[in-house]
Amino acid sequence: MKKLFVSMLVLTMMLCGCASEETTKTKDLSEVKIGAIQLAQHPALDKAYEGFKDTLVKAGIKEEQIDFQNASGDQSNCQTIAEKFVNDGDDLIYAIATDALQAAANKTTTTPIIGAAVTNFEGTGVVKSNEKPETNVTGASDMNPVKEQMDLLKKLVPNAKKIAIFYCSDEVNSIYQGEIAQKAAKEIGMDASIVTVSNDSSAISQVAQSLIGKYDAVYIPTDNLLASNMATVAQITNANHLPCIVGEQSMCENGGLATLSLDYYTVGTKAGEQALAILKGEAKPEETPISFIEGKDCKYFVNEKVAKQLGIEIPADLNATVIGK
């Protein structure tokens, strides 16, 4: 009887060992299917996709294995696309921007989801915490250095007293950044007011026009609606000598005065690295912390054409990359 028990114990251990090997076995990357949802087309989100795609392609995944779909800024399109990916049995979903991430998370609790260009994963409700998601979701945050961006505003527009913090009221991440910006502005002696626009691009011009004469400067965080329509905002603000400090590089290129920006290609790269580890069986989304870009990886950008139009001198010690010459 004792010999039988020992034999059964050995057999059980061998079977467990086989099971363990099976669960950690690297998947054949040539056979995986990946669905990618991008909320809208604008340079920052485009870079987040490019960084992700390039990382996967370097690892041996072919571009045609990635089903890329752009939702054209429509939340209902995100839902439809996410449902398609789930029905297609994709091995992983890549969701770029908060609306895309929430749509994917609403459609599946089993398919691994990697989010990117999402400021606060924990705040969206798709993970239990940024340190340990405990769900099928993880990803790379685009949390930008809001406080340092407000310091930049003060440096470039030292006499500014009244500031407008301008964003879309339907974007959770913009609300989060707006709260940080308002607190940071108060700490450096500026009175900051929240000014919002609904998720309707046709209303942007009217709201931008309402800022004229009321504020000394504007701060716009990494807001998807305004990033997609930055040229519209800038056309009004710059013509009326109202400086805009913005959340990221492409917004500066499209008419913002300046920014301290993270690199969205790097955000996509980090998301791609997470995806590879999960597809290879080396990691699980529920145990993979949200990735953040460190401050040292952010760079100053100044739009020289806008600075000249506004009569603002760029400090020599800013060490900024000059664009828009």
Side-chain angles (χ1 to χ4, degrees), residues 245-263:
I245 300 300
V246 292
E248 51 87 18
Q249 179 184 348
S250 70
M251 297 170 73
C252 186
E253 292 170 347
N254 287 320
L257 170 62
T259 187
L260 174 61
S261 178
L262 53 78
D263 180 9

Side-chain angles (χ1 to χ4, degrees), residues 32-38 49 52 62-70 81 84-85 88 90 92-94:
V32 300
K33 295 192 302 179
I34 299 164
I37 316 172
Q38 183 171 313
Y49 176 67
F52 177 83
K62 295 180 180 178
E63 190 171 345
E64 51 264 34
Q65 291 174 248
I66 308 172
D67 184 2
F68 174 75
Q69 301 285 331
N70 195 306
I81 295 166
K84 174 187 182 297
F85 292 158
D88 288 348
D90 287 355
L92 181 140
I93 297 173
Y94 181 46

Side-chain angles (χ1 to χ4, degrees), residues 151-159 241 243 245 257-258 301-320 322:
D151 290 337
L152 174 63
L153 189 156
K154 188 71 173 178
K155 187 178 185 72
L156 295 179
V157 195
N159 296 324
H241 294 271
I245 300 300
L257 170 62
F301 293 89
V302 174
N303 190 314
E304 186 176 65
K305 182 178 180 180
V306 172
K308 288 180 178 178
Q309 184 179 356
L310 299 177
I312 292 175
E313 186 174 347
I314 304 169
D317 63 350
L318 188 58
N319 193 26
V322 176

Side-chain angles (χ1 to χ4, degrees), residues 31 45 51 63 71 105 139 291:
E31 296 179 358
L45 301 188
E63 190 171 345
S291 174

Side-chain angles (χ1 to χ4, degrees), residues 219-271:
Y219 172 69
I220 305 175
T222 51
D223 181 278
N224 290 302
L225 179 69
L226 293 185
S228 297
N229 294 275
M230 188 62 215
T232 300
V233 176
Q235 185 176 11
I236 295 168
T237 55
N238 292 339
N240 289 276
H241 294 271
L242 183 62
C244 286
I245 300 300
V246 292
E248 51 87 18
Q249 179 184 348
S250 70
M251 297 170 73
C252 186
E253 292 170 347
N254 287 320
L257 170 62
T259 187
L260 174 61
S261 178
L262 53 78
D263 180 9
Y264 274 79
Y265 187 89
T266 302
V267 173
T269 297
K270 287 181 175 291

Side-chain angles (χ1 to χ4, degrees), residues 192-210:
S193 300
I194 302 295
V195 179
T196 63
V197 61
S198 63
N199 194 17
D200 178 7
S201 59
S202 65
I204 292 175
S205 294
Q206 182 180 352
V207 178
Q209 192 68 49
S210 74

